[in-house]
Amino acid sequence: MPHSCSLILLLGLLAGCALGPDYQRPELVTPVQFKQVEGWTSAAPADALARGNWWALYGDAELNALVERLQLSNQSLAAAEAQYRQARALVRGARASFYPTLSGSAGVTRSGQGASGTNSSSASGISKSYDLSLSAAWELDIWGKLRRGLEASRAEFEASAADLAAARLSLQSELVQNYLQLRVLDEQSRLLDATVAAYARSLRLTENQYRAGIVPKSDVSQATTQLKSTQAQAIDLQWQRAQLEHAIAVLVGVSPVQLSIAPRESLPALPAIPLALPSQLLERRPDVAAAERRVMAANAQIGVAEAAWFPDLSLSATGGYRGSSFVDWIEVPNRFWSLGPQLALTLFDGGARRAELERSEAAYDQTVAEYRQTVLDSFREVEDYLVQLRVLEQESGVQQEALDAAREALRLIENQYRAGTVDYNSVVTVQATALSNERSNLTLLGNRLLASVQLIAALGGGWQVEQLQEQASSAD
């Protein structure tokens, strides 16, 4: 018995160490600053920081309400949240393996031998046995297998939490983009309705001039063609708007028939994103955080695989009562007990443990590569949206100049037509050019709004509005 106690004490001391490599974040080669904007630098992950209601930057109360509904009722988000709770339960299950298990049993057994056709129990060899027992078992974590398992479960839980944040951000971004596109379509519809009204007036003027013998019949045909073509463009926007409205309805967790978004004439504001944003925002991306946590989990699984080469030590104890009579069942003479340690070691497995270790090491290498690729993709996305916003802003300035010129040309040509100095074909050409420039201007504004949403999502979800306003004020 002293030797057994000494062995248990020695093995208990060994329980302070765990097999397998301790986790270290994989090395990354990251740029000092972004290519497209000066002053952007990388930083340590801060994905746990609060992101705030970034969609409020667009200054649209209806959009804010829709995003809140999404967070409460979206079914994809509910599924991701349920997956997160599963991962949390797995951590609790892994932690429970550190504690002893206790089980109890009670039962009665009848057994017999020989003939059963007689009324005598003794003659037929029938007997009864009453059992009441309590058992305890505890596996000592000598080699760190349980600790590495818990470490892996915790990392997967944190990855699941990051997955939930990534799903939430993706759905928020999708809803905001759909809503902004819908509002741009409303503005295009308003433009086309106004243009149809203007073309209708031009048609009436041309018909009057034709009846007065001033212009030929072909001018009336051209005016009619232009009016009807523009009316068809206005009608075409209806199905596009309806599909965006249906998509928004599904995102907020209702059927399309249950959601109606009334048209309006104002567009959400284009947020002024400061050029020198906090560098932490890039690595607050939840997908980067999830990839890094999965590297941690894969690293811990290597330790679990290495521990399989060493013996498991378990302590077990059993006690209870066993007797043949119910009356004196629970008495000292019927008591039994057992207590002792047990070492278990697999002596031959045909290479299964070696294969599992190699698989765990390969899985770790895979997660490292996926983590590095996720980081590279995140930098690329930020660079893409930065250059897109910059170029679209420049393009928008030039397009506005083109639009101003087209409006002026339209005003002049209409006056010349009324004076009879040009034919209607010239008017139609200038009108078409003016309308094309009006729609291009709106399309550019819509693209800038969408790119701003995509940039915010690429940076990990946004900022506290108050902080953004403070930065904008200090930048001014």
Side-chain angles (χ1 to χ4, degrees), residues 185-195 237 265 442:
L185 286 181
D186 284 346
E187 193 67 13
Q188 289 203 2
S189 180
R190 184 199 62 77
L191 168 64
L192 289 174
D193 289 344
T195 303
L237 294 181
E265 297 184 359
L442 281 175

Side-chain angles (χ1 to χ4, degrees), residues 333-397:
N334 294 328
R335 186 173 60 187
F336 69 91
W337 62 271
S338 65
L339 173 66
Q342 180 181 8
L343 279 173
L345 174 64
T346 301
L347 299 178
F348 178 75
D349 59 7
R353 286 172 295 177
R354 170 59 62 184
E356 177 60 21
L357 179 58
E358 291 176 356
R359 187 205 65 80
S360 299
E361 291 172 342
Y364 171 79
D365 292 339
Q366 176 187 349
T367 56
V368 169
E370 290 172 346
Y371 168 62
R372 288 172 174 159
Q373 186 61 48
T374 302
V375 172
L376 288 174
D377 288 340
S378 68
F379 276 102
R380 176 191 56 78
E381 288 182 4
V382 173
E383 296 281 13
D384 286 349
Y385 298 131
L386 282 174
V387 69
Q388 184 179 1
L389 276 173
R390 177 170 57 80
V391 170
L392 287 176
E393 184 179 6
Q394 296 172 354
E395 185 181 355
S396 182

Side-chain angles (χ1 to χ4, degrees), residues 90-145:
L90 287 175
V91 173
R92 286 201 290 264
R95 189 180 293 114
S97 62
F98 285 88
Y99 299 94
T101 58
L102 189 65
S103 59
S105 65
V108 56
T109 304
R110 294 188 71 200
S111 60
Q113 184 177 0
S116 57
T118 178
N119 294 329
S120 172
S121 296
S122 59
S124 61
I126 297 176
S127 63
K128 288 185 178 180
S129 175
Y130 298 89
D131 288 276
L132 177 65
S133 64
L134 187 66
S135 301
W138 184 25
E139 181 180 353
L140 296 181
D141 190 26
I142 300 174
W143 314 113
K145 180 179 70 174

